[in-house]
Amino acid sequence: MILRASAQLRYSRRKVGAGLLFVLLLMSVSAAAVEPAQVHELSPGAVAEIGVDGTISVRASAGAADQIILNIAASLRASGPLRRSDDWVFVTQHSEGDAGGRRGFSSHADDDDDGRIDEERLDGKDDDGDGFIDEDYAAIGDDMTAVSFMRGGRALFLESYHWDYSHLSNTLFTTWHRENRAGEPERDRLLLELPYGKWQEMNVGWDIPRAANVGETDDEMMMVATLPRDGGRWWIGVTLLGADSASDEPMADVPSVDGRKLELPFDGSLTCAITVTTTLSQLRFRQAVAHAVYAGASAEPGMPAVAWIVPPLLRSKYVDESLAGTWAEEDGGWRLDLEIPADARVLLDPETLRLLERRVGAPLSVSWRPDDGTEDGYWSAPWPRPDFGELWRVDANPHPYRARTSWPAPLAGGRLTLHYEGESVLGEEALLFGDSLCGQTIRMEVAASPTRLSALNFPAGQPDSETAQNNLPEEKKELRRRPPSLSPDLLDNFPNPFHDQTRLRYKIPATVGEGFVWEEDQAQTLKDSDPVPYASGTPSVSLRVYSVAGHEVVTLFDGTCAIGTYETSWNGTDTEGRPMAVGTYFCKLQIENWSVTKRVALLR
């Protein structure tokens, strides 16, 4: 059903296969009042809104407010009055596998059994003149939104495709088509506008095998912009699909850049992928995946490729289990060693590592040593640290992973070492979370190496400096070089697992013997009866609950405590009083610079 300009404001919904058909007409739609036909989360805190006027906006959280970080529009829009009797607007949503939209390797790809496949465009019209509407089109993605309209004898057709897979959820695929009333293609341009900053050209820089052997993915070009966000940066990438940007032949329609404005001219049709991530490594990998999806796959060797087929995602079991690691100080900084088992299937993006809500930051370099004990597979390389004003410089060196791995085989069976500058942000024990390049969250349980310098405080009133350390007695210098661990007996809960409520008991120790445990090969240079060297007479204490993803759920206590034993409870809700899902949580007791964590299981 298509609503025309003679109609009043209408809104209707009817079932079409497994999808929902939304049809609406706004007699006068202002650009500031456009309602989204669909909203997709591209990255935590960033969503893409497909407007009913044929525009797309990417909106990101900016403190207490939202900010549009990208506007996309063709020259023809549905905003403003539709004055002619044959003007119309059509909006619908579908998903892969819907009746009428079956495609690819489906045995029912020819939905109407007329010997042709996907001959219809999803536009609410009888395009092939057989008396049926949208009876054999191509439904693409977990969510497909189609917006089309006719204004003044000119038509625009926009289709957007989005998948929920972790290696695709950051990307919105779009296809734009312009034609006149006679159905003949027309030239148009797509304008992608940032609020500030500038667009820059880069290589995709990652090669993922494609069914259609047209160049290498890492030679494909993409336009990139980066904007600041709370605690980091947004990375926005746009790449043309179907246009061989890696070819030496001149392109018929060359993109043009004017600072924050990117213009993509096209003659009839244009297909592109828009990706939003929080690191450049993630952006480049996802844009390479976009090219692989568009190229598709073959049902069997020698057969033509079917477009829009998703490449396989290698799920790492360390989404549910934990990688093990240690950290230690080294000259000029510290390092993090992660043991990657042979079955791990992990390509970890170090820039996504986080301790609770705090980012660890980008490493200076990364190295890999395989388990076989030989030096043949050893390598070390600097981690890319782009100059935001001149991103093209990153192309001078291949990505450390890209140069030494091949998709879909990731790093496995060895030790991945990340080298950082400055002081470590980790304590005696730490639960880290990070994302693989495929977007899966990886959990890591990290402990301090026995050889690292101590994180113990100096006694109250004594400055933490090299001079102060030299003035310490020898036994306390040894304690700072080889520290004990905070005792797990300081934190306990009952019952565990629990249904409605669990009681938590925590202790603020008075002596070294109460508060710490020593390793078997470590000489105990302080007496158990020695007092704990708190920075103040009444130490700062917090007790918090975290999810397995490292997000804070609720604070049970945050203040100061005198030496002694305390009790509190947790009823399985978050800060807002909302019940939490069944699963594993971590209760963390923080006493000044030391902490101990206990695993807690919630049942219902």
Side-chain angles (χ1 to χ4, degrees), residues 338-357:
L338 295 172
E339 301 299 330
I340 312 295
D343 61 349
R345 297 179 173 180
V346 169
L347 273 180
L348 181 68
D349 181 356
E351 294 180 66
T352 65
L353 286 185
R354 51 198 179 271
L355 176 65
L356 304 180
E357 299 293 338

Side-chain angles (χ1 to χ4, degrees), residues 100-101 112 114 116-139 144 159:
D112 55 358
D114 64 351
R116 296 177 294 172
I117 295 177
D118 302 338
E119 70 273 13
E120 285 272 319
R121 177 190 291 137
L122 184 57
D123 56 6
K125 299 191 298 179
D126 179 15
D127 296 299
D128 56 359
D130 62 358
F132 297 97
I133 295 175
D134 299 339
E135 79 284 0
D136 193 0
Y137 65 96
M144 173 182 178
E159 290 183 354

Side-chain angles (χ1 to χ4, degrees), residues 302-315:
M303 296 291 291
V306 175
W308 301 112
I309 301 297
V310 177
L313 167 66
L314 292 180
R315 176 178 172 81

Side-chain angles (χ1 to χ4, degrees), residues 464-484:
D464 189 358
S465 66
E466 183 177 353
T467 301
Q469 179 163 325
N470 290 335
N471 292 332
L472 284 176
E474 284 302 319
E475 65 271 14
K476 288 195 175 182
K477 289 183 181 179
E478 176 65 16
L479 175 63
R480 296 186 66 81
R481 286 192 291 267
R482 300 198 63 196

